[in-house]
Amino acid sequence: APARATLATGRYTYITANNERAHDGHQFTLRPDDVIFQEYLKATGYITKHCGKGHLGVEKFFDAFDENVSAWDRWDPPIRSDEQYLTYLRRLGVKPQRYAREIRGLQQDRRTPGNSFGGWIEQADGKPFPLEAQYSFYLVQRAVQKLEAALAQGEGAPIYLQLDLFDPHQPFSVPAGFEARERELRARLELPASYREAQKRNFRHSPDEPRIYDLYRRYWGLYDPKTVEDYRVANALQMEVIDRALAQFIRALKERKLYDEALIIFTADHGEMNGRRALVDKGVFLCPEVLRVPLMIKLPASWGIRPRSEDEVVSHVDLAPPLLAVGGITPEERLDGQSLLPVLRGEAVLGNRPLLFECGWHVGVNFACA
């Protein structure tokens, strides 16, 4: 939620939690008088569309996208309560999912099953669960429908479409069709050296780590190396689900002659420990694997800028300014980020800047341990 708020506002955020994990006093939704860049775009003539996850409260989505809000404001997908998704499954002739192989940690006795990380899914009747029925694939189909609606709504008007996927976040939901790829991944997989080190000390405290890591190790219960292997393989396969789903969206853009001049930004709200230090997920860990996220920007062809990799350190706080600039918008509200357009053109670097962070406990009482 903090990362998503920063991305939308272009400002360092006061939000410190999501609504399911917030303790007393934590802010977890944007305020009504906050302004997000999507509102600016809508106010200046863009047709704005959104589908997928929200995590910032519903009010701002009412303000920024259409007249209705369809963002789901919870941490995991509503695969059993999303009526449109269930209708989509019925049209495909697919029954809702269940786990064929579920990944679970262990409780502190190291025998009793503990937290579920999801895993490989099948239909409720045991038949293979097809890729096109998986929730990310469904969201992409919804995004294409929203694109069609926007094109019909205002011919020639600029369009902003935001697609928020849940994958590759756990609980994983790996559908059928990845069996050969799974075998390839397992043949090449190595467990992180930091996991092996934790295993050697029998998962006891390491003097070079904060004590909070011990709490999380007990919470996730990755005492069995096979669990970590399964987790890492499932995580990788979920990324390949995203690849295939987004390929459908890219194809839809190309079929409508929209791809060449589209500005596409691909990023994430957080990273993943992925078994390192015998930990998974994110939250209180100030580790590069959690803090670093992908950022890929596909520019309009007419800009004449050749694709390249850029080593400049940027932040979610830097995404609202260039999107506003592309729309010809000078915001009245303060922005903490800087426009990436000069960086993309190779004309400037952002230089060193102060970085702000805050951490609280994820699974226990918040003792302000940052």
Side-chain angles (χ1 to χ4, degrees), residues 103-181:
I103 309 168
R104 298 188 73 111
L106 295 173
Q107 296 186 25
Q108 293 181 48
D109 61 10
R110 306 194 184 186
R111 295 186 305 273
T112 308
N115 281 298
S116 172
F117 304 116
W120 285 258
I121 57 175
E122 62 184 9
Q123 295 185 55
D125 58 5
K127 293 179 180 178
F129 199 93
L131 171 63
E132 61 268 24
Q134 202 264 5
Y135 199 77
S136 285
F137 213 92
Y138 156 74
L139 286 178
V140 166
Q141 304 308 308
R142 287 278 295 149
V144 173
Q145 292 171 0
K146 285 177 175 281
L147 176 62
E148 288 281 11
L151 292 170
Q153 185 175 335
E155 187 173 346
I159 298 169
Y160 174 81
L161 173 61
Q162 182 170 322
L163 169 62
D164 283 321
L165 300 177
F166 177 77
D167 294 325
H169 203 297
Q170 53 100 348
F172 304 124
S173 57
V174 182
F178 292 88
E179 294 78 14
R181 184 62 177 140

Side-chain angles (χ1 to χ4, degrees), residues 21 23 31 52 89 95 123 127 184 287 308 312 362:
R21 299 270 165 73
H23 304 288
R31 300 179 182 121
L89 290 183
K95 291 182 169 53
Q123 295 185 55
K127 293 179 180 178
E184 292 176 358
C287 297
R308 71 180 195 281
E312 182 76 12
H362 184 213

Side-chain angles (χ1 to χ4, degrees), residues 17-18 20-23 75 169-170 212 215-216 219-220 280-285 359-366 369:
N18 67 47
E20 293 176 316
R21 299 270 165 73
H23 304 288
W75 75 272
H169 203 297
Q170 53 100 348
I212 185 71
L215 175 73
Y216 277 85
Y219 177 73
W220 292 121
V280 293
D281 203 48
K282 82 298 184 188
V284 78
F285 317 123
C359 282
W361 284 42
H362 184 213
V363 298
V365 177
N366 174 35
C369 62

Side-chain angles (χ1 to χ4, degrees), residues 31-43:
R31 300 179 182 121
D33 58 353
D34 286 326
V35 180
I36 59 179
F37 76 80
Q38 297 93 333
E39 287 180 271
Y40 280 113
L41 295 178
K42 181 180 178 182

